[in-house]
Amino acid sequence: QVQLVESGGGLVQAGGSLRLSCAADGTIFSINDMRWYRQPPGKPRELVAALTSGGSTNYVDSVKGRFTISRNNARNTVYLQMNSLMPEDTAVYYCRMMSGWSAYWGQGTQVTVSS
């Protein structure tokens, strides 16, 4: 079973930047959707950003203009560039890739933004 491995989380001050990476440890064929979710403490998981195989992107309103999702198809990797971070961005961030009806999830990476 292919696993997704996330990296790039950490502690950053408000206004700072982080770049999250999510790489598959094997080959996933025909990825049609890549997404980043986050789960703040005590809150449900929410969709942050999505990227389709056609290149279309969608973002939750709270991160528009600050976060950018991108991919490297050759490496089965998806990125989330996060700029102008705010304390309310503090959460565990998860990546997900879809191949047909199969969903692959990362283990989560903690992002903490201090004020």
Side-chain angles (χ1 to χ4, degrees), residues 3-74:
Q3 303 289 328
L4 301 186
V5 181
E6 297 160 358
S7 60
L11 173 64
V12 65
Q13 288 188 332
S17 298
L18 286 174
R19 188 191 194 212
L20 304 183
S21 298
C22 170
D25 66 0
T27 301
I28 302 175
F29 296 100
S30 302
I31 297 173
N32 52 25
D33 185 273
M34 293 177 164
R35 298 186 178 195
W36 286 95
Y37 291 79
R38 68 184 178 187
Q39 187 165 16
K43 296 184 178 180
R45 191 174 297 188
E46 67 170 350
L47 175 63
V48 176
L51 173 61
T52 69
S53 58
S56 298
T57 58
N58 280 293
Y59 300 92
V60 67
D61 286 346
S62 60
V63 308
K64 285 181 180 177
R66 301 188 298 119
F67 290 12
T68 303
I69 187 171
S70 62
R71 68 181 182 225
N72 182 323
N73 287 335

Side-chain angles (χ1 to χ4, degrees), residues 70-103:
S70 62
R71 68 181 182 225
N72 182 323
N73 287 335
R75 298 182 178 181
N76 277 1
T77 302
V78 62
Y79 306 97
L80 186 67
Q81 178 66 44
M82 305 186 294
N83 299 326
S84 302
L85 282 161
M86 301 184 292
E88 47 265 48
D89 295 317
T90 295
V92 178
Y93 284 72
Y94 300 89
C95 61
R96 190 194 80 172
M97 297 185 188
M98 291 293 297
S99 175
W101 292 107
S102 297

